[in-house]
Amino acid sequence: MPKQIAIYGKGGIGKSSTASNVAAACADEGYRVTIIGCDPKSDSSITLLSGRRIPTIMDLMREGMDIKEEDIVFNGYKGVKCVEIGGPEPGIGCAGRGIIVAISLLKKISKAIEDTDLVIYDVPGDIVCGGFVAPVKKGLVNEAYVLTSGEYMPLYAANNICKGLSRLEMTLNGVICNSRGAPNEENIVSEFAKEIGSQLLAFIPKDVLVQTCEREGFSVIEKAPASNISGVYRKLARSIMTRNEGKIPVPLDDIRLRELTKI
Amino acid sequence: MPVKKEKEPLIMHPRPSSIVAALYTLRDLDTDVVILHGPPGCSFKHARLLEEDGMRVVTTSLDESGFVFGGHDALVEVLEKVIERFNPKRIGIVGTCASMIIGEELHEAVTEVQPDVPVIEVEVHAGYRDNTKGVIMALESALACGIISEAEFERQKALLKEATMVEKRHGAASKEYLEPSRGDLKYKVAERLLELIKQGKKGLNILNAKKETAFMFADINLAVAEVAEKLGKSSNIINMANLDENVGLPKNRRNAREILDDLQKKDMEIHHIIGGLDEYPVAGNNASQIIGEKYPDFDFAVITGVPHALPMDNIKNMELFSITNGPRQVVPLKEMGHKHVVVEIDLHPKTLGVNHIVESEFGATLREMAKNA
């Protein structure tokens, strides 16, 4: 059975960048990787496809297509299989239902989430309704990671996600800090991780190289493989692939959370 | 490049909806109680009808608050209540549009409550064009629970595919919109039928009914046999019926046996068994083959139940009397070439909760008119 992971965190905190760089780093090491973008924005896999946008499952469904595997699963960097679920225009229809329908369709018509070593679900920042936890509820995710910076709002979101995970009895396998340059950031996130019963897996420093490569449509792993930041992603990727243990997180109360951001 | 699916516009409701189709399938599987997870108004009519048939159907009564905050707790509560109140041996949980759209996981409640009897979970909504989808989903869950065999599942799936085709070819799904009709006047049709029997014309008397509807349709075939006997012409009539008691889900086998027993008590001989009660989509083909081989020169045919499942090839030169319970089936049957089409209104509700043949209006008409014949 492949390792099936989901990366959670506040919107805009860098989930897609982290997911695509981890995917690329794992592919470099010879793993077969599948990445499923669950955000209606459908930008999870774009840097693995040299900046190309692929049709989303929801795009095809809206047009009433008879959908086959080759219409929705695309080979990206070093054979990483890329799928984008997509969704309706903002303010219309039901994106959550879209995820439920897309996930069951994908299961039915493709082996991309079975015949592989790692499946990464890049889920939207806000789990606003039942559909957004469909991959977890349908038993397609067995490890969860939370991405946060050391600022209050991203930590607040991370803590909320932990509430959701504990309600779903889903284990948390690690916290990743994507630095925004806040003071004492590594300590704050490390302490947060410890207190919720997990640990800090990686500290990703703020590096403009990530954005530069993304603008051109690439991951840093592909475009700047020798850079320091690539090294950080590789280390994170190795740690995800080799570790297994996770614990159901114990969320903090808001007072403690505020205190933490002041240490 | 992906291929665009050709879709005709659908403005007539499938009959019934895929949710209701799943409910009836659970009944055929001898499920004791079904919980409909959704709003209290969903599928209420069929829920009540099925209660008449001995299966409990209850609802989790999701309201606005349930749509917003989820219905997990309500489902757990109702599941516990159902176990306590009804002590069921087999439980079903069926989805609705509302609960499926908000992403309810039926299985979570089952995991939490851990009932010690099998629970068939059907994550179905009513958004499918073919209601047979609801049947297939219910059967898939029954297969996963080990309640039916792989072979039975495959058999059912093939039958359902054919049932869908039958409706699309000549049935209630054959046109964008079909006007309902009460069909021809029963006494006029009975008069003509009696005339043919009296003249000593050779006739086929065919029951090809869907499941429990046979309890009433069989009464018509029985009436035909009785009046032929009364007129001393019974040797001119050949009886066929889809009453094979050895195939199908438990309820269908039981019902076939009950109807056969009733017919036997009335001394009606079935010359050809053309299939089981769930084989109405294909039993017509069997009948057609037998007719082609043995009775191609018969003068008339009475076909009850699903007359449009009988191919026209071998009966097109006969005078056809068809009896249906679908007011929307009249136009398609007339177009196929059935000369007389009679509708037994509200037949289905009268065949729920019964284990004997139920009197039909057309059967009663025939018997009454034969008294003076």
Side-chain angles (χ1 to χ4, degrees):
Chain A
M1 176 144 131
K3 201 178 249 290
Q4 303 160 310
I5 73 169
I7 300 176
Y8 293 98
K10 188 183 186 312
I13 199 66
K15 289 183 299 300
S16 295
S17 307
T18 308
S20 51
N21 277 297
V22 166
C26 287
D28 270 356
E29 309 239 321
Y31 291 111
R32 296 169 304 161
V33 183
T34 301
I35 185 163
I36 320 271
C38 300
D39 196 309
K41 299 197 297 293
S42 66
D43 55 1
S44 304
S45 59
I46 196 161
T47 58
L48 294 165
L49 292 152
S50 317
R52 182 163 71 104
R53 279 198 183 274
I54 55 175
T56 71
I57 298 181
M58 286 297 115
D59 283 343
L60 299 178
M61 192 167 283
R62 184 170 36 221
E63 286 158 33
M65 297 297 185
D66 191 8
I67 303 172
K68 295 193 188 59
E69 183 175 24
E70 61 266 29
D71 305 325
I72 52 169
V73 181
F74 294 85
N75 282 326
Y77 174 70
K78 292 206 173 163
V80 175
K81 293 202 176 337
C82 304
V83 179
E84 291 287 353
I85 287 179
E89 297 290 320
I92 302 172
C94 181
R97 179 70 201 165
I99 296 179
I100 298 172
V101 172
I103 291 281
S104 49
L105 177 84
L106 190 61
K107 258 169 79 172
K108 207 162 80 187
I109 65 170
S110 171
K111 293 270 171 221
I113 53 175
E114 287 166 32
D115 287 348
T116 186
D117 301 312
L118 172 69
V119 186
I120 305 176
Y121 290 90
D122 184 18
V123 285
D126 300 298
I127 307 174
V128 290
C129 74
F132 288 74
V133 284
V136 174
K137 288 195 175 184
K138 302 270 178 211
L140 298 175
V141 171
N142 47 28
E143 292 184 12
Y145 295 84
V146 167
L147 189 69
T148 182
S149 72
E151 297 156 302
Y152 174 69
M153 290 311 283
L155 274 173
Y156 179 82
N159 194 50
N160 254 343
I161 288 157
C162 291
K163 273 184 202 163
L165 292 176
S166 82
R167 205 180 55 77
L168 292 167
E169 294 183 9
M170 178 76 202
T171 59
L172 177 65
N173 290 63
V175 176
I176 304 160
C177 179
N178 199 29
S179 174
R180 308 260 283 208
N184 203 19
E185 202 164 18
E186 188 164 2
N187 276 340
I188 292 170
V189 179
S190 173
E191 186 57 27
F192 168 75
K194 214 182 319 166
E195 290 190 23
I196 59 169
S198 186
Q199 57 176 305
L200 183 64
L201 267 196
F203 177 80
I204 305 168
K206 198 171 160 69
D207 191 333
V208 72
L209 194 55
V210 177
Q211 280 70 45
T212 313
C213 293
E214 274 179 5
R215 259 198 300 273
E216 289 175 39
F218 297 99
S219 64
V220 282
I221 297 285
E222 183 173 359
K223 202 71 180 170
S227 61
N228 283 341
I229 190 81
S230 285
V232 174
Y233 283 123
R234 283 186 213 286
K235 205 170 143 233
L236 172 60
R238 260 175 235 133
S239 128
I240 289 174
M241 289 314 288
T242 49
R243 288 161 37 91
N244 279 315
E245 68 273 30
K247 264 200 206 142
I248 295 173
V250 184
L252 306 182
D253 64 36
D254 196 42
I255 298 168
R256 180 60 198 143
L257 201 61
R258 272 183 197 284
E259 278 171 12
L260 258 184
T261 55
K262 293 174 193 158
I263 60 175
Chain B
M1 274 306 283
V3 187
K4 193 152 187 158
K5 281 188 256 185
E6 285 305 324
K7 271 193 181 178
E8 298 287 316
L10 180 75
I11 59 168
M12 256 196 324
H13 297 78
R15 175 173 176 259
S17 78
S18 31
I19 296 173
V20 171
L23 288 177
Y24 278 102
T25 307
L26 290 175
R27 177 207 57 183
D28 292 346
L29 291 162
D30 285 344
T31 309
D32 299 306
V33 188
V34 175
I35 302 169
L36 263 176
H37 187 34
C42 182
S43 305
F44 89 94
K45 189 175 174 189
H46 285 279
R48 288 290 154 78
L49 284 173
L50 283 161
E51 292 251 319
E52 295 289 313
D53 217 9
M55 182 172 82
R56 304 274 155 251
V57 185
V58 297
T59 170
T60 54
S61 287
L62 290 194
D63 55 9
E64 290 287 15
S65 160
F67 301 156
V68 176
F69 299 106
H72 172 78
D73 294 347
L75 182 54
V76 167
E77 204 176 302
V78 174
L79 185 54
E80 282 169 345
K81 197 175 276 184
V82 151
I83 293 168
E84 196 190 305
R85 181 182 283 261
F86 301 114
N87 192 24
K89 291 187 185 58
R90 191 170 286 173
I91 303 171
I93 304 179
V94 174
T96 60
C97 299
S99 61
M100 292 299 99
I101 289 170
I102 66 172
E104 288 288 304
E105 286 289 324
L106 307 178
H107 191 64
E108 276 181 5
V110 179
T111 313
E112 189 170 326
V113 176
Q114 302 256 334
D116 44 21
V117 294
V119 180
I120 308 174
E121 303 155 24
V122 194
E123 293 199 346
V124 65
H125 54 65
Y128 301 105
R129 299 167 71 98
D130 300 328
N131 53 24
T132 44
K133 181 86 183 167
V135 181
I136 291 172
M137 290 170 99
L139 291 170
E140 270 167 355
S141 296
L143 176 65
C145 295
I147 289 167
I148 57 168
S149 66
E150 183 83 43
E152 181 63 28
F153 176 71
E154 290 304 328
R155 173 183 170 274
Q156 293 281 342
K157 228 166 69 172
L159 285 173
L160 290 161
K161 207 171 145 194
E162 202 42 49
T164 305
M165 287 316 295
V166 164
E167 290 315 307
K168 283 185 179 161
R169 274 197 297 264
H170 298 295
S174 59
K175 282 196 166 58
E176 186 187 72
Y177 185 79
L178 281 162
E179 286 295 341
S181 156
R182 292 279 166 128
D184 298 319
L185 280 177
K186 290 191 176 71
Y187 87 92
K188 283 275 185 198
V189 178
E191 194 175 41
R192 174 66 183 155
L193 183 54
L194 282 171
E195 191 180 304
L196 290 172
I197 296 172
K198 235 186 302 182
Q199 286 169 2
K201 301 281 185 196
K202 287 183 287 180
L204 299 167
N205 186 21
I206 305 169
L207 170 77
N208 184 38
K210 180 177 178 181
K211 301 186 175 178
E212 67 271 14
T213 64
F215 277 117
M216 189 181 278
F217 283 121
D219 179 63
I220 295 159
N221 300 98
L222 177 60
V224 172
E226 282 171 356
V227 301
E229 175 71 33
K230 190 168 178 288
L231 297 169
K233 306 286 185 190
S234 65
S235 60
N236 291 336
I237 307 293
I238 289 295
N239 303 316
M240 302 185 190
N242 65 325
L243 291 172
D244 187 341
E245 53 186 307
N246 300 313
V247 294
L249 300 182
K251 183 185 191 303
N252 308 141
R253 294 173 185 228
R254 208 159 51 230
N255 291 166
R257 203 170 311 130
E258 288 157 353
I259 296 169
L260 277 174
D261 281 351
D262 277 0
L263 295 177
Q264 205 172 15
K265 273 181 215 142
K266 303 265 183 179
D267 294 322
M268 178 175 169
E269 184 193 349
I270 304 294
H271 302 93
H272 302 280
I273 294 284
I274 53 173
L277 279 177
D278 57 3
E279 292 184 325
Y280 60 94
V282 294
N285 299 336
N286 297 342
S288 177
Q289 200 186 337
I290 297 168
I291 296 165
E293 284 164 14
K294 298 186 150 186
Y295 316 110
D297 57 341
F298 268 43
D299 304 299
F300 69 93
V302 178
I303 313 166
T304 66
V306 190
H308 55 288
L310 217 87
M312 288 299 285
D313 317 347
N314 295 329
I315 54 172
K316 58 178 180 290
N317 297 325
M318 301 178 192
E319 187 165 336
L320 298 180
F321 296 77
S322 58
I323 295 90
T324 170
N325 63 328
R328 291 196 147 88
Q329 194 56 57
V330 176
V331 173
L333 281 169
K334 289 274 181 188
E335 283 179 3
M336 283 174 83
H338 291 237
K339 188 163 183 199
H340 314 279
V341 181
V342 171
V343 181
E344 286 286 343
I345 291 291
D346 286 338
L347 173 143
H348 190 218
K350 294 173 193 154
T351 60
L352 296 173
V354 302
N355 48 24
H356 285 291
I357 289 177
V358 180
E359 187 184 64
S360 61
E361 269 187 30
F362 188 63
T365 309
L366 261 181
R367 290 183 184 103
E368 191 59 34
M369 291 179 68
K371 281 181 186 166
N372 315 318

